Amino acid sequence: MDAHEPTPGAFELFAAGVAEGGRQAYTEYRGSMEIRARLAPRLAAFTSCPVDAENGLIITPGTQGALFLAVAATVSRGDKVAIVQPDYFANRKLVEFFEGEMLPVQLSYEEADEGRAGLNLGQLEEAFRAGARVFLFSNPNNPAGVVYSAIEINEIAALAGRYGATVIVDQLYSRLTYMDVTYTHLRAAAVDAENVVTIMGPSKTESLSGYRLGVAFGSTTIIARMEKLQAIVSLRAAGYAQAVLRSWFDEPAGWMAERIRAHQAIRDDLVSQFRRIEGCNARLPQAGSYLFPRLPRLRIAPGQFVKALRLQAGIIVTPGTEFSPHTAASVRLNFSQDHAASVAAVERLAALVERYRA
Amino acid sequence: MDAHEPTPGAFELFAAGVAEGGRQAYTEYRGSMEIRARLAPRLAAFTSCPVDAENGLIITPGTQGALFLAVAATVSRGDKVAIVQPDYFANRKLVEFFEGEMLPVQLSYEEADEGRAGLNLGQLEEAFRAGARVFLFSNPNNPAGVVYSAIEINEIAALAGRYGATVIVDQLYSRLTYMDVTYTHLRAAAVDAENVVTIMGPSKTESLSGYRLGVAFGSTTIIARMEKLQAIVSLRAAGYAQAVLRSWFDEPAGWMAERIRAHQAIRDDLVSQFRRIEGCNARLPQAGSYLFPRLPRLRIAPGQFVKALRLQAGIIVTPGTEFSPHTAASVRLNFSQDHAASVAAVERLAALVERYRA
């Protein structure tokens, strides 16, 4: 029914969790110790940095749940928080909810050469110098799907270390990286591992969103605070669903490679289509399933065009203004769909661009 | 494996939800409209008051998730909030998290006659007069399992109406009421239905805790705010798990009656046991599966006795201080366990009381 199926065996693990009954339903608030013990070495291997199963890892209801708790545990009223523009739109809303003060740092993903995401590191240092205590960013779950280079990650780590700042890095989609892309994990580069929280989850790449699972790992101090908060926010990730994590990072041989191949093929076709639209700028996403093309000048306002896409072409996109005040001319598409249907959708989009071209 | 099994068919509904795929995984943030449309008339019938499926109902990750969002949507820094002593311990922590100011209202459940919960209504009015904008209480999910009488509920509704206050009522366990108990729903008595949010969920009575499901319903304004917050707190209750709600309030004939009968039998035996302990005061719970006996004077401090229960008798209880500063001599037990094992546990508890009696 869906274009990209959940990882094989997920449902069977859930069913086994149900069969375990109360023991699986009522885990610790930070999640089942047995499951954390299984995940910790896998997350350590993936990120090239040790993970403390007992004190440095929490299971949450989705990565959104992890993000909320991580920000709640680190940001108080009036705290300065550096966030990237453009980035995942909820980051801004989380800082607003906790009454933090946002210090934007630009990601010049269009101008940067292919080997860099384009983060303005000078601006990041200015933010730290101005008192930012927390830096929150997504790699590669930003709208353009760009992967931060080793140089950028090492510099973020060095700056955070120098200014004693905490970094929360949302690594959703970091397993879905395309050919020839090197992904550098911030936590492995950190000066002080206690100042880094890494967030991941199996909702997107692994298509397990229906179970609502995420994890945060790293700083034992922050994870401890997150667990205390989870006790009043939602108690725990659904106990039965936690059982599904037993197979995370342990998928059948070749499964992840095939998932990446399928997405890369869609990405390549769609980017070619966008590049054929005159005046359209589409950077090649290096990971994930988002495309963030900047459209040519149109006769109608961006918001109206997004509406026209939905009503006239049956295409749902997220307006660029959700990610940054500077990306109103862009739209974000999620191409984790059926390949042929995605190509057909972008054809309809291209026709609509011509209809409304200025 | 567990003493009280989940409602029949729950797992099959979950499995059907998984088979539906992305449509069931990615519901609206407030939960699947189709499922809300099924639940609304059942919740309306149960509470004797209409429920607006589209605008007046949200599905949350457990009742804890609903409580968090309801308090988040109504309490800001410095707001005065009336809460009951003793009551569910997280209520206090939620008000603290949002930096509200607590105005305690005493529940004299030991002194009240059997027909009343014992809420000090004069104190509640004083709290409203002092500026409390929100009143948060649990009926019957308070440690003593007392059910608020019709007189008390009507007076709470009248006072809230007179002072324009919002009432959040946690009705977890309100389906598990014992013989001859009349349960009055606050929302049916409300002067202004827009000022009441009712919270329920199938985790306890229906033993579905492993799925993490709850609902909040009533005020359309507050529910709308709760949904906006849910989008940044956890996105939604797990989509597949929502499917389990299709059978909620639609259990096989006789199933709920049998669940109540089984719990009432345990309750009766345990209360008799506690009443045989000299100097022990145990009010008969009218609903739910909690017992909150006040123990006789002991030679050791209450915290030490709770520890002794765990280490010497293998009994886990929640210390009375979690619920109110005035109930240090009480302990809360959850008797939703195997009947014979529960009786044996209270025998061991009684022996330990004798060992440490002052």
Side-chain angles (χ1 to χ4, degrees):
Chain A
M1 164 151 194
D2 297 311
H4 305 280
E5 292 280 320
T7 31
F11 174 69
E12 289 71 17
L13 285 169
F14 183 92
V18 174
E20 277 196 59
R23 193 155 36 117
Q24 186 67 52
Y26 290 93
T27 71
E28 287 178 68
Y29 294 144
R30 61 174 62 196
S32 152
M33 181 63 225
E34 174 251 316
I35 292 169
R36 284 183 284 128
R38 276 176 202 245
L39 288 182
R42 298 178 197 167
L43 292 167
F46 180 67
T47 61
S48 311
C49 184
V51 174
D52 179 341
E54 194 166 351
N55 300 310
L57 174 58
I58 184 170
I59 300 171
T60 58
T63 53
Q64 188 65 51
L67 264 176
F68 180 83
L69 295 174
V71 175
T74 53
V75 177
S76 299
R77 181 165 63 261
D79 283 349
K80 290 182 174 130
V81 182
I83 66 158
V84 175
Q85 287 183 342
D87 205 348
Y88 175 52
F89 48 78
N91 294 0
R92 190 185 74 237
K93 292 175 191 163
L94 285 167
V95 177
E96 280 168 1
F97 182 75
F98 291 105
E99 302 178 62
E101 184 189 328
M102 267 173 282
L103 302 180
V105 178
Q106 297 307 313
L107 181 74
S108 303
Y109 61 97
E110 285 187 317
E111 294 77 24
D113 55 52
E114 286 237 335
R116 301 178 80 107
L119 190 73
N120 190 325
L121 291 160
Q123 232 177 13
L124 179 62
E125 176 155 19
E126 272 171 49
F128 285 142
R129 209 179 287 139
R133 298 183 49 201
V134 175
F135 176 47
L136 167 60
F137 77 110
S138 311
N139 181 23
N141 178 33
N142 49 70
V146 293
V147 169
Y148 285 67
S149 65
I151 293 171
E152 288 169 307
I153 291 294
N154 286 324
E155 185 62 17
I156 291 168
L159 287 172
R162 198 173 313 149
Y163 291 93
T166 297
V167 187
I168 302 167
V169 52
D170 177 355
Q171 299 200 169
L172 189 66
Y173 273 126
S174 57
R175 300 183 74 192
L176 194 70
T177 51
Y178 298 119
M179 217 166 39
D180 303 326
V181 171
T182 306
Y183 188 96
T184 310
H185 292 273
L186 179 77
R187 58 193 310 271
V191 175
D192 180 359
E194 268 298 304
N195 284 345
V196 177
V197 174
T198 302
I199 290 169
M200 291 191 68
S203 286
K204 298 291 189 183
T205 308
E206 300 84 350
S207 300
L208 298 174
S209 186
Y211 296 98
R212 286 276 78 214
L213 289 164
V215 295
F217 52 105
S219 168
T220 55
T221 322
I222 298 172
I223 299 294
R225 256 184 261 153
M226 288 171 71
E227 182 181 38
K228 279 199 175 162
L229 293 168
Q230 182 142 287
I232 61 166
V233 173
S234 65
L235 285 190
R236 60 175 75 80
Y240 296 157
Q242 290 180 38
V244 172
L245 290 174
R246 292 196 170 107
S247 71
W248 196 31
F249 282 94
D250 192 29
E251 296 83 9
W255 185 89
M256 185 58 72
E258 170 53 27
R259 175 124 310 186
I260 291 171
R261 190 209 57 73
H263 281 78
Q264 185 163 340
I266 306 172
R267 174 198 73 162
D268 291 344
D269 282 353
L270 267 48
V271 168
S272 301
Q273 286 176 284
F274 276 109
R275 288 182 174 170
R276 281 196 296 270
I277 300 175
E278 209 192 307
C280 178
N281 189 309
R283 176 168 168 169
L284 193 73
Q286 295 156 297
S289 68
Y290 297 139
L291 251 173
F292 198 51
R294 181 165 45 82
L295 303 178
R297 281 193 53 207
L298 304 171
R299 280 183 286 108
I300 58 175
Q304 283 179 287
F305 187 72
V306 166
K307 198 175 167 188
L309 278 175
R310 177 163 50 85
L311 298 178
Q312 296 179 45
I315 301 170
I316 307 286
V317 301
T318 309
T321 46
E322 287 281 306
F323 306 96
S324 162
H326 310 298
T327 53
S330 300
V331 293
R332 192 195 72 175
L333 298 87
N334 184 349
F335 64 80
S336 186
Q337 312 283 345
D338 176 75
H339 192 148
S342 302
V343 168
V346 175
E347 267 172 37
R348 296 198 301 278
L349 182 148
L352 221 58
V353 164
E354 296 315 321
R355 187 176 310 161
Y356 291 111
R357 188 183 282 279
Chain B
M1 164 146 194
D2 297 313
H4 305 279
E5 291 280 320
T7 28
F11 175 70
E12 289 72 16
L13 284 169
F14 183 92
V18 174
E20 277 197 59
R23 194 154 35 115
Q24 185 66 51
Y26 290 94
T27 70
E28 287 179 67
Y29 294 144
R30 62 174 63 193
S32 153
M33 180 63 226
E34 173 251 317
I35 292 169
R36 283 183 284 127
R38 279 175 200 246
L39 287 182
R42 300 179 195 164
L43 293 167
F46 180 66
T47 61
S48 311
C49 184
V51 174
D52 179 340
E54 194 166 349
N55 301 310
L57 174 59
I58 183 170
I59 300 172
T60 58
T63 52
Q64 188 64 52
L67 264 176
F68 180 82
L69 295 174
V71 176
T74 53
V75 177
S76 299
R77 182 166 62 262
D79 283 349
K80 290 180 175 134
V81 182
I83 65 160
V84 176
Q85 285 182 345
D87 205 349
Y88 175 53
F89 48 78
N91 294 0
R92 189 185 73 235
K93 292 175 191 165
L94 284 167
V95 177
E96 280 168 2
F97 182 74
F98 291 105
E99 302 178 61
E101 185 190 327
M102 267 172 285
L103 302 181
V105 178
Q106 297 307 313
L107 182 73
S108 303
Y109 61 97
E110 285 188 317
E111 293 77 25
D113 56 53
E114 285 237 336
R116 301 179 80 110
L119 190 72
N120 189 326
L121 291 160
Q123 232 177 12
L124 179 62
E125 176 154 20
E126 271 171 49
F128 285 142
R129 208 180 286 141
R133 299 183 48 201
V134 176
F135 176 47
L136 167 59
F137 77 110
S138 311
N139 181 24
N141 177 35
N142 51 68
V146 294
V147 168
Y148 285 66
S149 66
I151 293 173
E152 289 169 308
I153 291 294
N154 286 324
E155 185 61 16
I156 291 169
L159 288 172
R162 196 173 313 149
Y163 291 93
T166 297
V167 187
I168 302 167
V169 52
D170 178 355
Q171 299 199 171
L172 190 65
Y173 273 125
S174 57
R175 301 184 73 193
L176 194 71
T177 51
Y178 298 119
M179 218 165 37
D180 302 324
V181 171
T182 307
Y183 188 94
T184 310
H185 293 274
L186 178 77
R187 58 193 310 271
V191 174
D192 180 359
E194 268 299 303
N195 284 346
V196 177
V197 174
T198 302
I199 290 169
M200 290 191 68
S203 285
K204 299 290 188 183
T205 308
E206 300 84 350
S207 299
L208 298 174
S209 186
Y211 296 97
R212 288 275 79 212
L213 289 164
V215 295
F217 51 106
S219 169
T220 56
T221 322
I222 298 173
I223 299 295
R225 254 183 263 153
M226 289 171 72
E227 182 181 38
K228 279 198 177 164
L229 293 169
Q230 181 141 289
I232 61 165
V233 173
S234 65
L235 286 190
R236 60 175 75 79
Y240 297 157
Q242 289 179 39
V244 172
L245 290 174
R246 293 198 169 105
S247 71
W248 196 31
F249 282 94
D250 192 28
E251 296 83 9
W255 185 88
M256 185 58 72
E258 170 53 26
R259 175 124 311 184
I260 291 171
R261 190 209 56 73
H263 280 79
Q264 185 163 340
I266 305 172
R267 175 198 72 163
D268 290 345
D269 282 354
L270 268 48
V271 167
S272 301
Q273 287 177 284
F274 277 108
R275 287 181 175 170
R276 280 196 295 270
I277 300 175
E278 207 192 308
C280 179
N281 189 310
R283 176 168 167 167
L284 193 73
Q286 296 156 295
S289 68
Y290 296 140
L291 250 173
F292 199 50
R294 181 164 45 82
L295 303 178
R297 281 194 53 207
L298 304 172
R299 281 184 284 111
I300 59 177
Q304 282 179 288
F305 187 71
V306 167
K307 196 174 167 188
L309 278 175
R310 178 163 51 85
L311 297 178
Q312 296 179 45
I315 300 170
I316 307 287
V317 301
T318 309
T321 46
E322 287 281 306
F323 306 95
S324 162
H326 310 298
T327 52
S330 300
V331 293
R332 192 195 73 175
L333 298 87
N334 183 350
F335 62 81
S336 186
Q337 312 282 345
D338 176 76
H339 192 146
S342 301
V343 168
V346 175
E347 266 172 39
R348 297 197 301 278
L349 181 148
L352 222 57
V353 164
E354 295 315 322
R355 186 174 314 160
Y356 291 112
R357 187 184 283 278

